[in-house]
Amino acid sequence: MLPSINEIVMSSSRRLFFALSLPDALQQPVIRWRAEAFQPEHGRPVAAANLHLTLAFLGDVSAQKEAALTQLAGRIRQPGFSITLDDLGHWPRPGVVWLGCKRAPRGLLQLADMLRSQAARSGCFQSPLPFHPHITLLRAATRPIALPPSTPGWVMPATQFSLYQSVFEHGRTRYQPLAHWPLK
Ligand code: 2AM
């Protein structure tokens, strides 16, 4: 049977997003703390290598649009910044427990705003909800949870941002970095 137009379009598109990855040095402290703070029934822990803060979600993007967005991202000139990870929350509807910041640094807001505007202008649907910077720690967390009163307040340096592909294979989601750009 011949593939439908939809199947042809989908096969040449990739599910992409711009994000800051959690630096290697913070991955183990965060997952050790998470193991103490949460029980297995609270939700499914996100793999250490997948921990990231999304700046702009692009959805399924054609190769042509991906090339245009990559070029625009490469033109962004911004200094680095640090994010204090001192906030924690639970969104029961999507079933997400997240780590975030009480005060988002201006650099983070500017970078996300720039990438989200470029994405919108390129035709990628952007949620009308305000940007809420967060690192998803647990998924499938739909039941009520008593959250720990505080976090250790790790300081996360952001020295680069990246374009990722979300790849679903063998029943798992993996985030494949495609390109990085320095913040300096
Ligand atoms: P989440 O962690 O809050 O689920 C890759 O899927 C990344 O893009 C995740 O960080 C995810 O956020 C985010 N994401 C997935 N779908 C999205 C959507 N429709 N709008 C905004 N962000 C989305």
Side-chain angles (χ1 to χ4, degrees):
M1 200 171 73
L2 290 173
S4 68
I5 292 289
N6 223 6
E7 281 165 339
I8 293 167
V9 170
M10 291 302 282
S11 68
S12 62
S13 70
R14 313 207 270 185
R15 191 173 176 80
L16 304 178
F17 61 97
F18 287 105
L20 301 171
S21 62
L22 185 69
D24 289 352
L26 286 181
Q27 284 181 9
Q28 289 309 313
V30 168
I31 64 167
R32 256 184 262 126
W33 174 83
R34 179 180 64 184
E36 285 169 16
F38 297 99
Q39 306 304 315
E41 63 270 20
H42 287 148
R44 192 176 68 247
V46 173
N50 275 355
L51 292 169
H52 67 277
L53 187 157
T54 295
L55 297 163
F57 180 72
L58 306 176
D60 289 312
V61 172
S62 68
Q64 197 181 10
K65 208 179 268 187
E66 178 182 334
L69 285 162
T70 302
Q71 202 174 34
L72 288 170
R75 292 201 197 128
I76 294 177
R77 298 280 174 268
Q78 238 198 255
F81 48 84
S82 290
I83 307 166
T84 302
L85 300 171
D86 57 357
D87 200 12
L88 194 62
H90 179 210
W91 294 330
R93 268 284 274 279
V96 161
V97 170
W98 52 264
L99 185 61
C101 51
K102 290 188 174 135
R103 287 172 66 93
R106 189 181 296 252
L108 169 60
L109 299 178
Q110 274 173 355
L111 180 60
D113 192 50
M114 179 77 78
L115 291 167
R116 285 157 61 100
S117 305
Q118 289 176 346
R121 281 200 299 274
S122 303
C124 301
F125 172 79
Q126 295 300 291
S127 164
L129 296 173
F131 173 59
H132 188 289
H134 66 280
I135 296 173
T136 295
L137 294 179
L138 302 177
R139 294 199 183 278
T142 48
R143 300 219 206 109
I145 299 178
L147 292 174
S150 61
T151 79
W154 300 280
V155 176
M156 169 177 158
T159 56
Q160 63 172 21
F161 69 99
S162 309
L163 178 66
Y164 286 89
Q165 180 184 8
S166 177
V167 182
F168 187 73
E169 57 187 12
H170 312 303
R172 287 182 181 194
T173 300
R174 180 169 59 81
Y175 301 133
Q176 169 84 40
L178 301 177
H180 305 285
W181 295 271
L183 294 166
K184 60 181 181 191

